[in-house]
Amino acid sequence: GAKDYGKNNYRFYTVDMNKKIVEKLEMSNSLRRALERKELLLYYQPQVDLEKGKIVGVEALVRWNHPIWGMVSPVKFIPIAEETGMIMAIGEWVLREACSQSKKWREAGYPSIGFGVNLSAQQFQQQDLVEMIHSIILENELEPQHLELEITESLAMKDLEHTVDILKRLRSLGIKIALDDFGTGYSSLNYLKQLPIDTLKIDKSFVNDITMGSNEEAIAKSLITLAHSMSLIVTAEGIETKDQYMFLQEQCCDKAQGYLFSKPLPPDALERLLVEESVGLT
Ligand code: C2E
Ligand code: MG
Ligand code: MG
Ligand code: MG
């Protein structure tokens, strides 16, 4: 009867809820050991200069290769790392790993390219963040302008004064700053004018629907013009089609990143791309 049905519904609901909580607990327990077990790795997605048509940089994107679950998306585990404070250790590992990869590629004779690294809001609470980043740069003899730290608006909003202070100190070391996922926050323009940054990354949601006469087309055009008028470099995210590529090129967008060029790749696959490009196969 209806009563049984209701009961079952309730039971399934709680089982489902419990499952989610258990899953999350399991994940955070395993994540705690992921670093020492060397389960984290970095993939690199090329950033292409739209004028030269060449790879001028990569964005480092963290992956978690769990022995049972396989590849876990950062969309799943970064929020857990943030909630539990593990993001400090993971973030430091990501910076160290990306900079050491840059050193390896430089020593192997690959063309010098930029490295984008994502920072979480919590990392801005780390007392010695600037010193830590500076020492990683020195350890790897990295040219600081080859490191581009990606921050989001939500980070900037938390404590604007503090964020601006840290960004100024990072930039005085020669490090570049990019505002990631631009356009997805809610008071974008207000923060944009106050933040000491070098690059604006236009979120893929605006790039997705660039078709003739669409609102997204108008927004993308305006964002590129706006950024250039502020002397910022523009990187478009999530380019998947030739049409999007041609549109962005026409609008004088500086750089682009997306599946059209390549998905994020493990280091050896990215090396092959760089080699192919330098011998003119692409
Ligand atoms: P994000 O920084 O905005 O990175 C871009 C995301 O878009 C990546 O997802 C990338 O794989 C995906 N993407 C690139 N091109 C395309 C495309 O053409 N189409 C579509 N549909 N997607 C594309 P991923 O690697 O899953 O990373 C997701 C997010 O996780 C990142 O977004 C970033 O916010 C976060 N994340 C990744 N690595 C790190 C890290 O080391 N530290 C921190 N704090 N966050 C990270
Ligand atoms: Mg990013
Ligand atoms: Mg982004
Ligand atoms: Mg993002």
Side-chain angles (χ1 to χ4, degrees):
K3 210 174 158 192
D4 291 341
Y5 182 71
K7 246 187 203 163
N8 278 342
N9 249 356
Y10 176 72
R11 189 166 59 85
F12 284 130
Y13 175 71
T14 51
V15 166
D16 203 51
M17 290 284 288
N18 285 336
K19 217 179 124 198
K20 282 228 169 80
I21 294 168
V22 169
E23 250 176 36
K24 212 170 158 184
L25 267 173
E26 267 181 359
M27 196 173 269
S28 76
N29 281 334
S30 309
L31 191 55
R32 223 171 282 286
R33 288 181 294 267
L35 265 182
E36 60 193 65
R37 291 182 180 173
K38 301 194 191 316
E39 291 169 3
L40 295 185
L41 57 155
L42 292 186
Y43 274 26
Y44 298 92
Q45 186 177 38
Q47 297 180 331
V48 173
D49 181 303
L50 288 179
E51 205 183 334
K52 297 182 200 141
K54 279 203 146 195
I55 299 172
V56 288
V58 289
E59 177 175 3
L61 294 155
V62 70
R63 297 289 180 269
W64 178 16
N65 191 8
H66 186 275
I68 294 162
W69 305 326
M71 283 294 182
V72 185
S73 162
V75 176
K76 270 203 152 169
F77 74 85
I78 289 290
I80 294 176
E82 288 172 340
E83 278 171 40
T84 54
M86 287 185 261
I87 194 64
M88 302 294 191
I90 292 175
E92 180 168 349
W93 178 85
V94 167
L95 275 159
R96 216 170 274 285
E97 181 65 21
C99 292
S100 111
Q101 184 62 69
S102 161
K103 183 180 189 184
K104 278 182 206 153
W105 281 339
R106 193 179 56 251
E107 286 174 349
Y110 290 100
S112 59
I113 55 174
F115 275 70
V117 174
N118 294 285
L119 285 190
S120 281
Q122 280 83 342
Q123 291 179 269
F124 274 63
Q125 300 309 316
Q126 193 172 326
Q127 288 302 316
D128 62 345
L129 179 74
V130 178
E131 290 76 12
M132 184 262 280
I133 294 175
H134 191 202
S135 73
I136 291 177
I137 285 180
L138 294 176
E139 273 164 37
N140 293 288
E141 297 155 62
L142 182 67
E143 292 194 55
Q145 70 271 19
H146 283 146
L147 180 62
E148 183 167 77
L149 300 174
E150 301 192 1
I151 63 161
T152 59
E153 287 168 71
S154 61
L155 180 156
M157 280 172 3
K158 286 222 163 111
D159 182 352
L160 189 60
E161 222 177 304
H162 176 67
T163 304
V164 168
D165 175 57
I166 301 277
L167 293 183
K168 280 185 180 160
R169 287 167 59 200
L170 290 167
R171 286 181 90 215
S172 73
L173 295 174
I175 296 164
K176 303 292 180 194
I177 308 292
L179 192 56
D180 203 358
D181 305 340
F182 187 73
T184 57
Y186 46 89
S187 12
S188 313
L189 295 180
N190 193 27
Y191 290 101
L192 185 60
K193 66 171 192 221
Q194 300 182 62
L195 288 174
I197 59 170
D198 303 279
T199 302
L200 199 70
K201 294 191 79 174
I202 299 181
D203 190 69
K204 53 179 170 285
S205 57
F206 297 108
V207 178
N208 270 345
D209 300 313
I210 298 173
T211 47
M212 285 283 280
S214 68
N215 283 339
E216 284 77 9
E217 183 193 359
I219 293 172
K221 271 188 190 178
S222 322
L223 287 183
I224 294 168
T225 308
L226 173 74
H228 282 159
S229 73
M230 296 174 76
S231 305
L232 299 176
I233 289 177
V234 185
T235 304
E237 298 190 277
I239 313 298
E240 295 182 355
T241 70
K242 199 75 210 261
D243 282 348
Q244 293 166 347
Y245 176 83
M246 289 187 315
F247 168 81
L248 292 165
Q249 215 173 21
E250 222 166 88
Q251 300 306 318
C252 302
C253 179
D254 304 284
K255 293 189 271 180
Q257 204 181 322
Y259 296 166
L260 177 67
F261 310 113
S262 168
K263 293 201 166 180
L265 299 171
D268 57 335
L270 203 279
E271 282 169 13
R272 284 194 292 275
L273 264 192
L274 290 173
V275 170
E276 279 171 22
E277 192 182 73
S278 67
V279 297
L281 290 178
T282 54

